[in-house]
């Protein structure tokens, strides 16, 4: 989110994270970025109903996020 913002990309997309059962675990300071990540399609959740905001991202998950970002904003 911060990188996209710094690069001048549109970060106004706002996804509904309340559909995830663990949405209340998202820290207040991260809520805007998380909503953007979900709304822009960068994050789809560990499962359909789980974000796991306090978990550890696997290398494959991080790679998928980077790939999605590149496809949406760079390519």
């Amino acid at each position: 989110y911060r990188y996209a913002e710094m690069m001048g990309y549109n970060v106004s997309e706002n996804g509904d994270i309340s559909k995830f059962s663990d949405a209340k675990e998202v820290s207040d300071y991260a809520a805007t970025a998380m909503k953007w990540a979900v709304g822009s399609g960068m994050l789809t959740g560990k499962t359909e109903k789980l974000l796991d905001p306090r978990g550890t991202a696997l290398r494959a998950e991080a790679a998928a996020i980077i790939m999605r970002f590149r496809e949406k904003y760079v390519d």
Side-chain angles (χ1 to χ4, degrees):
Y1 172 80
R2 295 281 182 229
Y3 176 76
E5 187 177 52
M6 179 191 74
M7 295 301 291
Y9 298 125
N10 180 3
V11 293
S12 65
E13 292 174 282
N14 196 13
D16 179 17
I17 62 172
S18 68
K19 65 183 179 182
F20 296 98
S21 62
D22 57 351
K24 291 184 182 195
E25 292 181 33
V26 175
S27 299
D28 290 341
Y29 76 89
T32 300
M34 187 65 80
K35 289 175 184 176
W36 167 79
V38 170
S40 66
M42 297 300 117
L43 291 180
T44 57
K46 294 264 185 175
T47 67
E48 190 176 305
K49 296 287 182 185
L50 186 69
L51 271 174
D52 195 21
R54 298 185 188 270
T56 303
L58 300 173
R59 181 174 40 176
E61 293 167 333
I65 293 167
I66 293 167
M67 184 182 76
R68 290 180 196 130
F69 183 91
R70 190 162 186 263
E71 288 173 348
K72 183 168 181 122
Y73 295 104
V74 180
D75 289 342

